[in-house]
Amino acid sequence: MSDATSKDLIERGFSRACGAQEVPAVMPVKVSIDGRSILVCRGEDGFFAVDELCPHKMESMAHGVVHGGRIICPHHQYSFDLETGVCNIRRCAPLQTYPVELSDEGDVFVKA
């Protein structure tokens, strides 16, 4: 992630998701970008964006827990790496991840 103005990020195809201060340390924030439900997460190394639905059973992870660089599905406790989307269970498909940038105004931008 790098700091840029909101205008620069929009010109590069990013959309404002939320303010950085709106994202708690252990819970994702659900946003809608271009008709997609996306979760913005605060990880140990910055902000991340992933699909809302767990690829295991297509259930919402909006009430999941963010911990140790992973998001944990509240329904089946599968966990997904916030950076790569890889699941801790091999037979589960990876979670879709999206590029994230933080604006110099303190907003989280996602390219969906």
Side-chain angles (χ1 to χ4, degrees):
M1 282 187 272
S2 63
D3 290 337
T5 67
S6 296
K7 181 181 175 189
D8 292 339
L9 292 170
I10 290 168
E11 287 175 359
R12 292 178 30 215
F14 285 81
S15 298
R16 183 187 182 280
C18 60
Q21 75 283 357
E22 297 173 46
V23 185
V26 296
M27 296 292 295
V29 170
K30 182 179 172 181
V31 299
S32 180
I33 298 177
D34 296 331
R36 294 181 184 181
S37 290
I38 294 174
L39 301 178
V40 176
C41 305
R42 183 187 297 264
E44 296 169 348
D45 298 326
F47 294 91
F48 299 88
V50 299
D51 269 342
E52 175 196 4
L53 298 179
C54 175
H56 174 227
K57 295 238 177 168
M58 301 309 287
E59 294 190 49
S60 174
M61 293 196 302
H63 296 288
V65 173
V66 176
H67 177 72
R70 304 184 74 78
I71 184 167
I72 303 165
C73 177
H75 305 286
H76 306 100
Q77 285 66 54
Y78 283 25
S79 71
F80 299 87
D81 185 284
L82 290 172
E83 199 167 340
T84 66
V86 172
C87 183
N88 67 323
I89 305 294
R90 286 190 178 188
R91 68 181 179 265
C92 184
L95 185 62
Q96 176 67 47
T97 62
Y98 300 94
V100 174
E101 295 278 345
L102 187 63
S103 76
D104 55 9
E105 296 96 357
D107 293 324
V108 178
F109 280 75
V110 175
K111 191 172 193 176

